[in-house]
PDB file of all heavy atoms in Angstrom:
ATOM      1  N   GLN A   1     104.207  91.338  93.748  1.00 97.00           N
ATOM      2  CA  GLN A   1     105.422  90.866  94.433  1.00 97.00           C
ATOM      3  C   GLN A   1     105.289  89.384  94.795  1.00 97.00           C
ATOM      4  O   GLN A   1     106.247  88.616  94.667  1.00 97.00           O
ATOM      5  CB  GLN A   1     105.688  91.695  95.699  1.00 97.00           C
ATOM      6  CG  GLN A   1     106.939  91.283  96.463  1.00 97.00           C
ATOM      7  CD  GLN A   1     108.219  91.557  95.716  1.00 97.00           C
ATOM      8  OE1 GLN A   1     108.445  92.676  95.264  1.00 97.00           O
ATOM      9  NE2 GLN A   1     109.081  90.545  95.574  1.00 97.00           N
ATOM     10  N   GLU A   2     104.107  88.982  95.218  1.00 97.00           N
ATOM     11  CA  GLU A   2     103.875  87.574  95.563  1.00 97.00           C
ATOM     12  C   GLU A   2     104.069  86.683  94.330  1.00 97.00           C
ATOM     13  O   GLU A   2     104.706  85.630  94.398  1.00 97.00           O
ATOM     14  CB  GLU A   2     102.457  87.408  96.125  1.00 97.00           C
ATOM     15  CG  GLU A   2     102.175  86.027  96.670  1.00 97.00           C
ATOM     16  CD  GLU A   2     100.746  85.882  97.205  1.00 97.00           C
ATOM     17  OE1 GLU A   2     100.060  86.906  97.412  1.00 97.00           O
ATOM     18  OE2 GLU A   2     100.320  84.725  97.389  1.00 97.00           O
ATOM     19  N   ALA A   3     103.542  87.113  93.181  1.00 97.00           N
ATOM     20  CA  ALA A   3     103.730  86.360  91.935  1.00 97.00           C
ATOM     21  C   ALA A   3     105.199  86.356  91.536  1.00 97.00           C
ATOM     22  O   ALA A   3     105.736  85.337  91.081  1.00 97.00           O
ATOM     23  CB  ALA A   3     102.868  86.952  90.818  1.00 97.00           C
ATOM     24  N   TYR A   4     105.867  87.476  91.726  1.00 98.00           N
ATOM     25  CA  TYR A   4     107.306  87.571  91.451  1.00 98.00           C
ATOM     26  C   TYR A   4     108.072  86.552  92.293  1.00 98.00           C
ATOM     27  O   TYR A   4     108.958  85.856  91.805  1.00 98.00           O
ATOM     28  CB  TYR A   4     107.785  88.995  91.747  1.00 98.00           C
ATOM     29  CG  TYR A   4     109.268  89.201  91.571  1.00 98.00           C
ATOM     30  CD1 TYR A   4     109.792  89.632  90.359  1.00 98.00           C
ATOM     31  CD2 TYR A   4     110.146  88.977  92.633  1.00 98.00           C
ATOM     32  CE1 TYR A   4     111.164  89.818  90.199  1.00 98.00           C
ATOM     33  CE2 TYR A   4     111.503  89.165  92.487  1.00 98.00           C
ATOM     34  CZ  TYR A   4     112.014  89.582  91.269  1.00 98.00           C
ATOM     35  OH  TYR A   4     113.367  89.753  91.116  1.00 98.00           O
ATOM     36  N   ASP A   5     107.714  86.475  93.567  1.00 97.00           N
ATOM     37  CA  ASP A   5     108.382  85.536  94.476  1.00 97.00           C
ATOM     38  C   ASP A   5     108.161  84.080  94.069  1.00 97.00           C
ATOM     39  O   ASP A   5     108.937  83.197  94.445  1.00 97.00           O
ATOM     40  CB  ASP A   5     107.905  85.754  95.914  1.00 97.00           C
ATOM     41  CG  ASP A   5     108.343  87.104  96.477  1.00 97.00           C
ATOM     42  OD1 ASP A   5     109.288  87.719  95.920  1.00 97.00           O
ATOM     43  OD2 ASP A   5     107.725  87.561  97.467  1.00 97.00           O
ATOM     44  N   LEU A   6     107.100  83.825  93.285  1.00 97.00           N
ATOM     45  CA  LEU A   6     106.826  82.482  92.766  1.00 97.00           C
ATOM     46  C   LEU A   6     107.521  82.229  91.426  1.00 97.00           C
ATOM     47  O   LEU A   6     107.342  81.186  90.815  1.00 97.00           O
ATOM     48  CB  LEU A   6     105.313  82.270  92.616  1.00 97.00           C
ATOM     49  CG  LEU A   6     104.524  82.215  93.927  1.00 97.00           C
ATOM     50  CD1 LEU A   6     103.024  82.278  93.656  1.00 97.00           C
ATOM     51  CD2 LEU A   6     104.875  80.948  94.707  1.00 97.00           C
ATOM     52  N   GLY A   7     108.287  83.218  90.961  1.00 96.00           N
ATOM     53  CA  GLY A   7     109.082  83.031  89.751  1.00 96.00           C
ATOM     54  C   GLY A   7     108.608  83.765  88.510  1.00 96.00           C
ATOM     55  O   GLY A   7     109.256  83.719  87.462  1.00 96.00           O
ATOM     56  N   ILE A   8     107.491  84.471  88.580  1.00 97.00           N
ATOM     57  CA  ILE A   8     106.979  85.210  87.419  1.00 97.00           C
ATOM     58  C   ILE A   8     107.816  86.485  87.234  1.00 97.00           C
ATOM     59  O   ILE A   8     108.084  87.202  88.194  1.00 97.00           O
ATOM     60  CB  ILE A   8     105.489  85.582  87.607  1.00 97.00           C
ATOM     61  CG1 ILE A   8     104.641  84.330  87.797  1.00 97.00           C
ATOM     62  CG2 ILE A   8     104.989  86.419  86.434  1.00 97.00           C
ATOM     63  CD1 ILE A   8     104.584  83.438  86.597  1.00 97.00           C
ATOM     64  N   ARG A   9     108.196  86.758  85.990  1.00 98.00           N
ATOM     65  CA  ARG A   9     108.968  87.971  85.694  1.00 98.00           C
ATOM     66  C   ARG A   9     108.301  88.840  84.632  1.00 98.00           C
ATOM     67  O   ARG A   9     108.698  89.984  84.445  1.00 98.00           O
ATOM     68  CB  ARG A   9     110.385  87.607  85.229  1.00 98.00           C
ATOM     69  CG  ARG A   9     111.245  86.943  86.296  1.00 98.00           C
ATOM     70  CD  ARG A   9     111.508  87.876  87.462  1.00 98.00           C
ATOM     71  NE  ARG A   9     112.327  87.282  88.494  1.00 98.00           N
ATOM     72  CZ  ARG A   9     111.857  86.631  89.546  1.00 98.00           C
ATOM     73  NH1 ARG A   9     110.543  86.459  89.709  1.00 98.00           N
ATOM     74  NH2 ARG A   9     112.668  86.134  90.460  1.00 98.00           N
ATOM     75  N   LEU A  10     107.304  88.332  83.918  1.00 98.00           N
ATOM     76  CA  LEU A  10     106.614  89.099  82.879  1.00 98.00           C
ATOM     77  C   LEU A  10     105.208  89.443  83.364  1.00 98.00           C
ATOM     78  O   LEU A  10     104.436  88.544  83.715  1.00 98.00           O
ATOM     79  CB  LEU A  10     106.520  88.292  81.581  1.00 98.00           C
ATOM     80  CG  LEU A  10     107.749  88.282  80.679  1.00 98.00           C
ATOM     81  CD1 LEU A  10     108.888  87.517  81.309  1.00 98.00           C
ATOM     82  CD2 LEU A  10     107.400  87.671  79.347  1.00 98.00           C
ATOM     83  N   PHE A  11     104.905  90.738  83.362  1.00 98.00           N
ATOM     84  CA  PHE A  11     103.610  91.206  83.836  1.00 98.00           C
ATOM     85  C   PHE A  11     102.981  92.136  82.808  1.00 98.00           C
ATOM     86  O   PHE A  11     103.668  92.961  82.210  1.00 98.00           O
ATOM     87  CB  PHE A  11     103.748  91.935  85.177  1.00 98.00           C
ATOM     88  CG  PHE A  11     104.131  91.020  86.312  1.00 98.00           C
ATOM     89  CD1 PHE A  11     105.465  90.790  86.630  1.00 98.00           C
ATOM     90  CD2 PHE A  11     103.155  90.373  87.052  1.00 98.00           C
ATOM     91  CE1 PHE A  11     105.822  89.937  87.664  1.00 98.00           C
ATOM     92  CE2 PHE A  11     103.499  89.511  88.088  1.00 98.00           C
ATOM     93  CZ  PHE A  11     104.837  89.290  88.396  1.00 98.00           C
ATOM     94  N   GLY A  12     101.669  91.992  82.609  1.00 97.00           N
ATOM     95  CA  GLY A  12     100.931  92.807  81.662  1.00 97.00           C
ATOM     96  C   GLY A  12     100.024  93.785  82.367  1.00 97.00           C
ATOM     97  O   GLY A  12      99.261  93.407  83.256  1.00 97.00           O
ATOM     98  N   GLU A  13     100.113  95.041  81.956  1.00 97.00           N
ATOM     99  CA  GLU A  13      99.270  96.106  82.501  1.00 97.00           C
ATOM    100  C   GLU A  13      98.520  96.776  81.361  1.00 97.00           C
ATOM    101  O   GLU A  13      99.026  96.861  80.247  1.00 97.00           O
ATOM    102  CB  GLU A  13     100.126  97.153  83.224  1.00 97.00           C
ATOM    103  CG  GLU A  13     100.754  96.668  84.517  1.00 97.00           C
ATOM    104  CD  GLU A  13      99.758  96.541  85.663  1.00 97.00           C
ATOM    105  OE1 GLU A  13      98.658  97.119  85.578  1.00 97.00           O
ATOM    106  OE2 GLU A  13     100.087  95.856  86.650  1.00 97.00           O
ATOM    107  N   ASN A  14      97.333  97.289  81.656  1.00 95.00           N
ATOM    108  CA  ASN A  14      96.578  97.971  80.609  1.00 95.00           C
ATOM    109  C   ASN A  14      96.463  99.472  80.836  1.00 95.00           C
ATOM    110  O   ASN A  14      95.820 100.159  80.066  1.00 95.00           O
ATOM    111  CB  ASN A  14      95.191  97.347  80.420  1.00 95.00           C
ATOM    112  CG  ASN A  14      94.267  97.606  81.587  1.00 95.00           C
ATOM    113  OD1 ASN A  14      94.711  97.896  82.688  1.00 95.00           O
ATOM    114  ND2 ASN A  14      92.975  97.502  81.351  1.00 95.00           N
ATOM    115  N   LYS A  15      97.111  99.980  81.887  1.00 96.00           N
ATOM    116  CA  LYS A  15      97.097 101.425  82.153  1.00 96.00           C
ATOM    117  C   LYS A  15      98.536 101.908  82.369  1.00 96.00           C
ATOM    118  O   LYS A  15      99.304 101.314  83.129  1.00 96.00           O
ATOM    119  CB  LYS A  15      96.249 101.740  83.376  1.00 96.00           C
ATOM    120  CG  LYS A  15      94.761 101.482  83.150  1.00 96.00           C
ATOM    121  CD  LYS A  15      93.921 102.177  84.177  1.00 96.00           C
ATOM    122  CE  LYS A  15      92.435 101.996  84.026  1.00 96.00           C
ATOM    123  NZ  LYS A  15      91.890 101.557  82.831  1.00 96.00           N
ATOM    124  N   VAL A  16      98.857 103.000  81.705  1.00 97.00           N
ATOM    125  CA  VAL A  16     100.194 103.578  81.800  1.00 97.00           C
ATOM    126  C   VAL A  16     100.534 103.922  83.248  1.00 97.00           C
ATOM    127  O   VAL A  16     101.638 103.636  83.721  1.00 97.00           O
ATOM    128  CB  VAL A  16     100.300 104.823  80.887  1.00 97.00           C
ATOM    129  CG1 VAL A  16     101.549 105.628  81.186  1.00 97.00           C
ATOM    130  CG2 VAL A  16     100.254 104.400  79.426  1.00 97.00           C
ATOM    131  N   GLN A  17      99.596 104.516  83.964  1.00 97.00           N
ATOM    132  CA  GLN A  17      99.860 104.934  85.338  1.00 97.00           C
ATOM    133  C   GLN A  17     100.233 103.745  86.227  1.00 97.00           C
ATOM    134  O   GLN A  17     101.106 103.855  87.088  1.00 97.00           O
ATOM    135  CB  GLN A  17      98.652 105.674  85.920  1.00 97.00           C
ATOM    136  CG  GLN A  17      98.945 106.361  87.252  1.00 97.00           C
ATOM    137  CD  GLN A  17     100.019 107.437  87.145  1.00 97.00           C
ATOM    138  OE1 GLN A  17      99.943 108.305  86.292  1.00 97.00           O
ATOM    139  NE2 GLN A  17     101.020 107.359  87.995  1.00 97.00           N
ATOM    140  N   GLU A  18      99.584 102.601  86.007  1.00 96.00           N
ATOM    141  CA  GLU A  18      99.907 101.424  86.827  1.00 96.00           C
ATOM    142  C   GLU A  18     101.322 100.932  86.552  1.00 96.00           C
ATOM    143  O   GLU A  18     102.025 100.512  87.464  1.00 96.00           O
ATOM    144  CB  GLU A  18      98.884 100.314  86.597  1.00 96.00           C
ATOM    145  CG  GLU A  18      97.557 100.597  87.281  1.00 96.00           C
ATOM    146  CD  GLU A  18      96.778  99.327  87.588  1.00 96.00           C
ATOM    147  OE1 GLU A  18      97.346  98.388  88.175  1.00 96.00           O
ATOM    148  OE2 GLU A  18      95.595  99.285  87.233  1.00 96.00           O
ATOM    149  N   ILE A  19     101.737 100.970  85.290  1.00 97.00           N
ATOM    150  CA  ILE A  19     103.126 100.576  84.971  1.00 97.00           C
ATOM    151  C   ILE A  19     104.090 101.518  85.669  1.00 97.00           C
ATOM    152  O   ILE A  19     105.072 101.080  86.286  1.00 97.00           O
ATOM    153  CB  ILE A  19     103.367 100.587  83.447  1.00 97.00           C
ATOM    154  CG1 ILE A  19     102.593  99.453  82.780  1.00 97.00           C
ATOM    155  CG2 ILE A  19     104.862 100.471  83.134  1.00 97.00           C
ATOM    156  CD1 ILE A  19     102.617  99.470  81.264  1.00 97.00           C
ATOM    157  N   MET A  20     103.817 102.804  85.594  1.00 96.00           N
ATOM    158  CA  MET A  20     104.711 103.782  86.212  1.00 96.00           C
ATOM    159  C   MET A  20     104.785 103.587  87.724  1.00 96.00           C
ATOM    160  O   MET A  20     105.871 103.564  88.298  1.00 96.00           O
ATOM    161  CB  MET A  20     104.250 105.196  85.861  1.00 96.00           C
ATOM    162  CG  MET A  20     104.420 105.524  84.385  1.00 96.00           C
ATOM    163  SD  MET A  20     103.632 107.073  83.906  1.00 96.00           S
ATOM    164  CE  MET A  20     104.436 108.230  85.000  1.00 96.00           C
ATOM    165  N   ASP A  21     103.633 103.435  88.354  1.00 97.00           N
ATOM    166  CA  ASP A  21     103.602 103.283  89.815  1.00 97.00           C
ATOM    167  C   ASP A  21     104.275 101.990  90.258  1.00 97.00           C
ATOM    168  O   ASP A  21     105.105 101.984  91.169  1.00 97.00           O
ATOM    169  CB  ASP A  21     102.164 103.309  90.329  1.00 97.00           C
ATOM    170  CG  ASP A  21     101.493 104.669  90.157  1.00 97.00           C
ATOM    171  OD1 ASP A  21     102.205 105.659  89.885  1.00 97.00           O
ATOM    172  OD2 ASP A  21     100.256 104.728  90.270  1.00 97.00           O
ATOM    173  N   LYS A  22     103.938 100.886  89.620  1.00 97.00           N
ATOM    174  CA  LYS A  22     104.462  99.590  90.054  1.00 97.00           C
ATOM    175  C   LYS A  22     105.943  99.430  89.733  1.00 97.00           C
ATOM    176  O   LYS A  22     106.686  98.817  90.502  1.00 97.00           O
ATOM    177  CB  LYS A  22     103.643  98.454  89.430  1.00 97.00           C
ATOM    178  CG  LYS A  22     102.240  98.359  90.014  1.00 97.00           C
ATOM    179  CD  LYS A  22     101.377  97.338  89.304  1.00 97.00           C
ATOM    180  CE  LYS A  22      99.965  97.342  89.854  1.00 97.00           C
ATOM    181  NZ  LYS A  22      99.043  96.494  89.098  1.00 97.00           N
ATOM    182  N   SER A  23     106.379  99.985  88.611  1.00 96.00           N
ATOM    183  CA  SER A  23     107.801  99.846  88.260  1.00 96.00           C
ATOM    184  C   SER A  23     108.699 100.587  89.246  1.00 96.00           C
ATOM    185  O   SER A  23     109.873 100.266  89.381  1.00 96.00           O
ATOM    186  CB  SER A  23     108.056 100.331  86.831  1.00 96.00           C
ATOM    187  OG  SER A  23     107.840 101.715  86.715  1.00 96.00           O
ATOM    188  N   GLU A  24     108.128 101.561  89.953  1.00 96.00           N
ATOM    189  CA  GLU A  24     108.908 102.312  90.949  1.00 96.00           C
ATOM    190  C   GLU A  24     109.153 101.507  92.222  1.00 96.00           C
ATOM    191  O   GLU A  24     110.158 101.722  92.894  1.00 96.00           O
ATOM    192  CB  GLU A  24     108.172 103.615  91.320  1.00 96.00           C
ATOM    193  CG  GLU A  24     108.136 104.639  90.212  1.00 96.00           C
ATOM    194  CD  GLU A  24     109.503 105.231  89.920  1.00 96.00           C
ATOM    195  OE1 GLU A  24     110.237 105.543  90.879  1.00 96.00           O
ATOM    196  OE2 GLU A  24     109.839 105.372  88.733  1.00 96.00           O
ATOM    197  N   VAL A  25     108.235 100.610  92.571  1.00 97.00           N
ATOM    198  CA  VAL A  25     108.315  99.941  93.873  1.00 97.00           C
ATOM    199  C   VAL A  25     108.611  98.446  93.790  1.00 97.00           C
ATOM    200  O   VAL A  25     108.865  97.814  94.812  1.00 97.00           O
ATOM    201  CB  VAL A  25     107.017 100.164  94.689  1.00 97.00           C
ATOM    202  CG1 VAL A  25     106.814 101.643  94.970  1.00 97.00           C
ATOM    203  CG2 VAL A  25     105.808  99.569  93.994  1.00 97.00           C
ATOM    204  N   LEU A  26     108.591  97.887  92.595  1.00 98.00           N
ATOM    205  CA  LEU A  26     108.804  96.447  92.431  1.00 98.00           C
ATOM    206  C   LEU A  26     110.193  96.181  91.854  1.00 98.00           C
ATOM    207  O   LEU A  26     110.844  97.097  91.343  1.00 98.00           O
ATOM    208  CB  LEU A  26     107.708  95.857  91.549  1.00 98.00           C
ATOM    209  CG  LEU A  26     106.335  95.795  92.232  1.00 98.00           C
ATOM    210  CD1 LEU A  26     105.219  95.640  91.216  1.00 98.00           C
ATOM    211  CD2 LEU A  26     106.291  94.670  93.258  1.00 98.00           C
TER     212      LEU A  26
END
């Protein structure tokens, strides 16, 4: 979220579970 607030919109994840968890709250 902090990186998002600095203008970043593209994020890379290497685990499916992390994408699922983070996409729910970000």
Side-chain angles (χ1 to χ4, degrees):
Q1 181 67 53
E2 187 181 345
Y4 177 92
D5 293 341
L6 292 169
I8 301 294
R9 294 296 180 268
L10 279 69
F11 292 90
E13 291 286 343
N14 70 339
K15 292 198 179 342
V16 167
Q17 191 62 51
E18 285 205 50
I19 291 173
M20 292 170 58
D21 293 346
K22 290 174 184 173
S23 66
E24 291 291 317
V25 298
L26 289 162

